[in-house]
Amino acid sequence: MNNQVANTQQITVKQFVNMNSTKKRFEDVLGKRASQFMSSLVSVVNSNQNLQHVDAGSVINSALVAAALDLPINPSLGYMYIVPYKGQAQPQMGYKGYIQLAQRSGQYKHLNAIAVYADEFQGWNPLTEEIDYQPNFHDRNGEQPVGYLGYLELLNGFQKTVYWTREQVDNHRKRFSKMSGGNTPKGVWKDNFDAMALKTVLRNLLTKWGPMTVDMQTAYNADEEEHDEIPRDVTPEQSSDQGYQTQDILNSFDQAQQKEKKTTKEEAKPAKKPAKATKKTAAKGDEVNGTSESQEELFPDGTITPHTK
């Protein structure tokens, strides 16, 4: 058993990052910025004890999702988080990440999400989207918001407003975010509840009412498991013969690199000259496709018609 546990920790994220095959994948996505991104990944893992005890391959895969969306993974920035869950790491969008992707689309005139406090909010009509809101700016001293507002306006004039109470957000978290701790928030929800609440409202606003760009679809699909599906326990399975899945991931990276090199060499070889074809003329009455039917004749108008007696 001790040897099996050692196998799960045999390959660290830092070791993965130093592999040529891993570097190539990040470079394919980020170009010259790959080195900086991978250094940031190592720093994030080093500062999070929970991420140090999950499958390293899943951390790399989560980071590749963030790289594909060109979003930083530093948790203090709030664009994208790498969250541990039952031995695996999973990518999780932040509200700033959704705002960033919406801005890139160039289709938004206004986009915002804010927390609303009791002395600012008087009422909300979800049908007409009329809201009685009067902002009152002062130090809240730890006061909790009563709800969260999201608003968008497109360049074509379309507008949409959504309002979620704090209770609605928390019920949504309990139902769809199994990584958040159930009745008692934990992880990102514990440390940044308001930020995650704004993300929930924005995600609903953008994916339901806004234009679904390619990046937005990618973000939605990457973030979908955390909200719309019950996360599966995908902790690497033990195997007395093959060890843990971490080693399999390592092998797949190296195999992919070798395959790419082999393909490159084959493409570099000069093409062989095609063999000279021998012309054969089928006589009338010869067998066609294993039958003794008469040879069909091509007429000037391009149609093929069988011989008639």
Side-chain angles (χ1 to χ4, degrees):
M1 179 64 182
N2 292 335
N3 291 335
Q4 292 176 335
V5 173
N7 285 338
T8 62
Q9 300 175 347
Q10 179 180 348
I11 304 170
T12 65
V13 170
K14 188 173 182 179
Q15 289 173 323
F16 260 121
V17 167
N18 289 329
M19 292 166 54
N20 291 332
S21 52
T22 306
K23 292 179 181 178
K24 184 180 185 304
R25 276 157 178 76
F26 280 103
E27 288 171 355
D28 289 343
V29 177
L30 296 171
K32 295 181 179 179
R33 292 176 290 116
S35 178
Q36 181 180 358
F37 186 91
M38 289 187 290
S39 297
S40 175
L41 173 60
V42 173
S43 298
V44 168
V45 174
N46 288 341
S47 62
N48 189 328
Q49 289 288 335
N50 293 325
L51 282 179
Q52 295 175 22
H53 295 89
V54 302
D55 181 75
S58 68
V59 176
I60 297 296
N61 291 335
S62 298
L64 282 169
V65 172
L69 294 171
D70 198 13
L71 294 175
I73 54 177
N74 187 330
S76 63
L77 297 178
Y79 289 91
M80 175 77 85
Y81 302 95
I82 297 179
V83 182
Y85 179 73
K86 291 188 177 181
Q88 290 284 106
Q90 298 183 6
Q92 186 171 337
M93 290 286 294
Y95 83 95
K96 292 181 180 178
Y98 277 110
I99 292 175
Q100 181 71 216
L101 298 183
Q103 289 177 341
R104 292 178 192 170
S105 72
Q107 301 185 55
Y108 290 84
K109 183 178 181 180
H110 297 293
L111 176 64
N112 201 6
I114 60 172
V116 178
Y117 295 88
D119 59 350
E120 301 176 323
F121 179 77
Q122 301 301 321
W124 155 255
N125 186 332
L127 180 61
T128 63
E129 300 183 2
E130 294 176 353
I131 183 168
D132 188 353
Y133 168 71
Q134 296 295 328
N136 184 11
F137 300 107
H138 62 85
D139 190 356
R140 295 293 173 177
N141 295 319
E143 179 184 355
Q144 291 184 348
V146 295
Y148 303 87
L149 271 173
Y151 171 77
L152 69 78
E153 181 181 358
L154 300 180
L155 294 177
N156 62 13
F158 175 77
Q159 300 180 41
K160 186 66 182 178
T161 303
V162 297
Y163 174 75
W164 287 38
T165 65
R166 185 181 180 88
E167 184 178 0
Q168 282 178 308
V169 171
D170 200 42
N171 288 338
H172 185 86
R173 174 193 66 80
K174 293 175 185 177
R175 181 180 179 185
F176 295 109
S177 181
K178 302 304 179 183
M179 293 181 288
S180 67
N183 291 330
T184 304
K186 70 176 183 180
V188 179
W189 279 95
K190 178 183 178 181
D191 300 334
N192 302 281
F193 185 94
D194 287 345
M196 293 303 294
L198 291 173
K199 171 263 184 86
T200 300
V201 172
L202 269 175
R203 183 179 188 271
N204 174 265
L205 177 68
L206 294 172
T207 58
K208 189 173 182 180
W209 303 101
M212 287 296 286
T213 63
V214 174
D215 280 351
M216 192 67 72
Q217 291 179 46
T218 302
Y220 178 85
N221 292 334
D223 201 34
E224 186 176 9
E225 183 176 77
E226 189 266 333
H227 279 275
D228 298 332
E229 298 178 4
I230 298 177
R232 297 174 292 104
D233 183 359
V234 285
T235 305
E237 297 179 355
Q238 299 180 15
S239 171
S240 57
D241 297 329
Q242 297 179 356
Y244 278 70
Q245 288 182 358
T246 308
Q247 185 63 48
D248 295 335
I249 296 173
L250 173 61
N251 293 337
S252 67
F253 273 108
D254 289 336
Q255 289 171 4
Q257 187 180 31
Q258 293 173 5
K259 185 177 180 180
E260 290 170 358
K261 290 181 179 179
K262 183 178 180 181
T263 302
T264 304
K265 290 181 180 179
E266 290 178 350
E267 291 177 348
K269 292 181 179 179
K272 295 182 178 180
K273 294 182 179 180
K276 294 183 179 179
T278 57
K279 296 183 179 180
K280 292 184 178 180
T281 303
K284 184 176 179 179
D286 287 349
E287 290 189 358
V288 179
N289 296 328
T291 69
S292 60
E293 295 178 359
S294 299
Q295 179 80 12
E296 294 182 341
E297 194 171 33
L298 180 63
F299 286 83
D301 61 357
T303 61
I304 299 178
T305 307
H307 284 288
T308 58
K309 295 182 179 180

